[in-house]
Structure formats: C-alpha cells, structure tokens
Amino acid sequence: MRPELVVTGIGVISAIAQGKADFTEALLAGRSAFGVLQRPGRQHESAYLGAEIPHIVFPDSLPPQTLRAASLSAQTALVVLQEAWDEARLSEVDCRRIGLVIGGSNVQQREIAQLQARYRERPQFLKPTYALSFMDTDLCGFCTAQFGIRGLSHTVGGASASGQLAIMQAAQAVLSGQVDACIAIGALMDLSFWECQAFRALGAMGSDRYADAPALACRPYDQQHDGFLFGECAGAVVIESRAASQRRGAPAYATLSGWRAEMDGNRNPDPSLEGEIAAIQGALAAAGWTAEQIDYVNPHGTGSVVGDETELKALQACGLKGARLNATKSLIGHGLSAAGLVEVIATLLQMRSGRLHPTRNLDEPIDASFNWVRHQPVAHRIERALTLSMGFGGINTALCWQRTDR
C-alpha cells in the first residue's frame, strides 16, 4: 500500500507579504502591489508592469556572507526554505534522508544580464564564481550547504509548471524510499528587460489597456484581460509520509492524494484543451476521486485571453463547474517558475483558514456560470482541492489535495 504523503512545512514570500501568516492575511484581504517594475535591469524604453518584493527580512540563521554572495533568486530560496524547515522540524531528521528539488530553469536572467553588461569591456575581471552562479544548480548549492542536506538535490524545469513539477518529483523521491522528507521549492524567476520585452512581443504579458492604472491591469478570467502581469515570489513545501511526520509530532497541512503531468506535443505557447483535460482527469483518477468531490479549484488563471478561456472549457469538460474558484495571480501576479508552488501554498493556507480569498478585478467574468469568489473573501471549508499549472512547451499539471485532521 502506498504511503500517505503530507505537507508538514511551508515557506513563502511575495510582493504582498513574507511568511505564511502575513501571506494568509494579505490574500484574504485581497491585497495587491502592482506598479511599474523598478528593479535595475527590468526596464528599457518601455514601462513594464508587475509586482516586486519591497524588502526581504532575513532570519538571523542565514549568515551575511552567504546572503552577499547569493542572487535574489538564491536569497529568496534560502528564506522560504528556512521557514518551511523550521515548521517541519527537519533538524530532527537525518540530513542524509532529506532531499531538495528546486522548480525553475533560467531563473537568474536579470542578474546574468547585469553582470555581462558590467564586464563586457573587461571580461578578464569577471569573477570566477560566475562559472557557478549562471547555473540554476547554484541554488541547490546554496541551500544544501546552508542546511546540510545530504540526500538528493536537483532542479526541474517546466516553465510555469515548474513549481508543481517540483512537488511531483519530491513526492516520487519519498515514495521510492530515496529520502524520508523532500523539500520542493518554486524558485523566484528574476526577469530582465529582455524577457519582459519578449513576453510583451509574444502577446503574453500585459498590459497596454491599463498602462496608466497598474492596480487594474491584472484581470484573470475578466472580459478585459489582456495578458499576465509578472509577480516576484518564491515558496517551499516539505513533503513526507504521514507516518514519518507523526513519529516526530509534525502537524500536516494536507494530504497529496494524486497528481498528473501531461504533454500535448506542442512547442508553441498556446494552450491545449486536450492536454489540460488529460492532466485533470489523470490526477483525479490517481486520487480515486470524482469531479463532484472537488469543492475548490485553484487554477492557472494568468489573464491570458486564450489561456483563461481554454482552462474554463477544460474545467467544464471535467465536470468541475460546481467547485469554488478564485485566481491567486490576480493578487500576487504570475511568478512563472514559482507560480504553481506558491498557489499550492495559497490553497493549503485557505484550507486551514476556512476562507477563500477574493479575485481582484473580476468585474465581468468571461463565464459567469462558474462558482466564482469575486470581490470579497468567503467562508468555505475545503475538503478536496485541485491545483493546476501549465507551462510553455505543452506541459500540463494537476495536483489533488485532501484536508487532514493534522
């Protein structure tokens, strides 16, 4: 019989809050922090909109010399890992039995672009550590060195589905017996203006319509949506068996009951209705659930015109119109590589609080027949939830979560 997998630790940072307590409060208050992106290296002749982390509070346990050497992506990975590590009491677990999977690829583009510009005319002065830092595995190095992790550690790239893929890989590592506990991190994707410009040229990133009103620009599932808004964020969850967590008295947030990743054989960015349906149905089958048992869905919901409409068609085709539905990206923006994992965290925190956060700017839903949470939070006890993420390259993922008595 397959061991029951649970989440025992959470760490999160976003533009609206750092730490799970403040993040929960900000979500339920419907808070957002959209504006013109301000970080050096993010603007070039165009004013890109999004949401940036205003400041980071570093715990005393993280050495200043480590933080000085770390990129923004590495710093946030260390911060969220520390929060999840402490909550799950992983210091009580043999370090050789702890694993780490980091979701995300090409996550340090802004830092790389700035460094290359700085040393373009004097490459001989480039720091030798660039040979390490341009690789995403450098985040693994920072995290395993700081926390003494001696089990597996690697990155997994799945574009905007990277965070959920990291959870799947962590779950498989525990089920295989390779480790007793595995941390999944959704890494902060640090965009430079090159990526911002490319997303805008592709038609994926908004917003021309609300260029002078950033607070109104992020509009998943609204008739006035015109693309996603980038949002800095990172998150970490600890996956382990219920038996292992109970042995050391670590409470569980929820049970990971089933999951599925489906490819739709498509290199282009457009979504696939068939691929999304297959991922949802596959996850439900793995959990042994029917669609009627799902009472909450946290969807991908980016604000993309084609993407939003395709996702609602997939939910309808799978019999999920009755579940409560909101869009976390309407508050925090699209975290790209981190998005799926941070939205899992939002789901588990709502499950624990018994309330669902509002969907900002959902004034005219493209399909009003769904069971939307719109402008105000609502009381709702989540028993079974479904979280969805899709990534460029034809990647579709779905995870099933069940309430636990802790």
Side-chain angles (χ1 to χ4, degrees):
M1 183 176 178
R2 192 179 84 175
E4 186 179 9
L5 299 179
V6 295
V7 172
T8 55
I10 284 175
V12 65
I13 187 169
S14 73
I16 61 172
Q18 176 178 342
K20 52 188 169 287
D22 289 345
F23 186 62
T24 302
E25 180 184 359
L27 285 176
L28 294 176
R31 200 172 302 151
S32 69
F34 295 109
V36 176
L37 298 175
Q38 298 294 324
R39 287 203 193 277
R42 288 241 174 101
Q43 300 292 354
H44 183 71
E45 298 179 356
S46 296
Y48 306 113
L49 304 182
E52 295 171 322
I53 297 168
H55 64 275
I56 304 172
V57 179
F58 296 106
D60 294 338
S61 56
L62 297 178
Q65 62 270 27
T66 297
L67 295 171
R68 283 194 297 269
S71 67
L72 177 63
S73 299
Q75 288 177 349
T76 52
L78 288 166
V79 166
V80 298
L81 176 50
Q82 183 72 71
E83 185 183 13
W85 181 280
D86 290 344
E87 184 177 32
R89 294 162 50 180
L90 289 183
S91 59
E92 301 174 23
V93 179
D94 183 348
C95 63
R96 295 167 297 182
R97 302 294 302 165
I98 300 174
L100 172 69
V101 181
I102 293 181
S105 55
N106 309 112
V107 297
Q108 303 175 95
Q109 295 300 96
R110 184 181 65 93
E111 178 122 342
I112 290 172
Q114 287 186 296
L115 196 65
Q116 290 175 343
R118 190 178 307 139
Y119 290 98
R120 191 175 308 280
E121 304 302 324
R122 48 193 186 105
Q124 66 274 19
F125 293 104
L126 180 68
K127 295 180 179 180
T129 52
Y130 179 66
L132 302 174
S133 63
F134 83 89
M135 300 184 192
D136 297 320
T137 50
D138 198 34
L139 273 65
C140 295
F142 272 107
C143 292
T144 56
Q146 174 62 29
F147 292 88
I149 296 168
R150 295 293 182 268
L152 68 92
S153 180
H154 63 264
T155 63
V156 55
S160 297
S162 295
Q164 291 213 152
L165 285 175
I167 292 174
M168 295 180 194
Q169 290 288 311
Q172 294 286 7
V174 174
L175 288 178
S176 71
Q178 190 172 358
V179 292
D180 294 330
C182 197
I183 306 132
I185 291 180
L188 185 149
M189 181 171 277
D190 193 4
L191 298 184
S192 76
F193 71 83
W194 292 105
E195 291 76 48
C196 292
Q197 176 58 33
F199 279 132
R200 287 297 302 274
L202 191 64
M205 186 174 178
S207 162
D208 291 325
R209 186 174 297 155
Y210 295 98
D212 298 324
L216 302 178
C218 192
R219 314 183 69 86
Y221 304 112
D222 186 75
Q223 291 183 24
Q224 300 303 313
H225 56 178
D226 68 346
F228 78 82
L229 261 64
F230 171 61
E232 289 183 343
C233 62
V237 296
V238 177
I239 305 289
E240 58 183 313
S241 71
R242 177 177 288 280
S245 70
Q246 289 176 335
R247 281 196 293 269
R248 67 179 191 285
Y253 278 88
T255 301
L256 175 56
S257 300
W259 58 89
R260 186 66 170 235
E262 285 280 346
M263 299 298 297
D264 54 54
N266 178 20
R267 185 250 175 176
N268 295 315
D270 50 300
S272 164
L273 178 61
E274 294 77 13
E276 294 181 21
I277 291 172
I280 293 169
Q281 292 179 339
L284 291 175
W289 296 354
T290 65
E292 291 73 22
Q293 290 177 291
I294 299 289
D295 51 46
Y296 170 72
V297 175
N298 189 293
H300 188 54
T302 66
S304 158
V305 175
V306 177
D308 287 357
E309 293 178 352
T310 302
E311 191 171 15
L312 292 186
K313 289 178 181 177
L315 291 172
Q316 181 170 358
C318 292
L320 289 162
K321 288 194 70 171
R324 296 310 303 253
L325 190 71
N326 58 11
T328 301
K329 289 183 181 73
S330 72
L331 304 178
I332 66 172
H334 192 346
L336 300 169
S337 53
L341 196 142
V342 172
E343 287 153 18
V344 163
I345 290 172
T347 298
L348 301 186
L349 294 175
Q350 290 176 100
M351 185 179 284
R352 177 164 287 188
S353 72
R355 300 177 73 200
L356 302 182
H357 70 69
T359 304
R360 191 175 178 86
N361 297 323
L362 187 57
D363 299 328
E364 299 176 276
I366 55 177
D367 187 339
S369 65
F370 277 82
N371 200 359
W372 296 107
V373 183
R374 295 178 63 183
H375 301 119
Q376 299 295 327
V378 300
H380 181 67
R381 179 181 172 89
I382 302 174
E383 295 292 342
R384 291 181 176 87
L386 179 72
T387 60
L388 304 176
S389 283
M390 291 82 181
F392 286 178
I395 305 168
N396 308 279
T397 64
L399 302 174
C400 293
W401 302 94
Q402 185 165 11
R403 186 183 187 89
T404 178
D405 57 10
R406 304 178 67 180

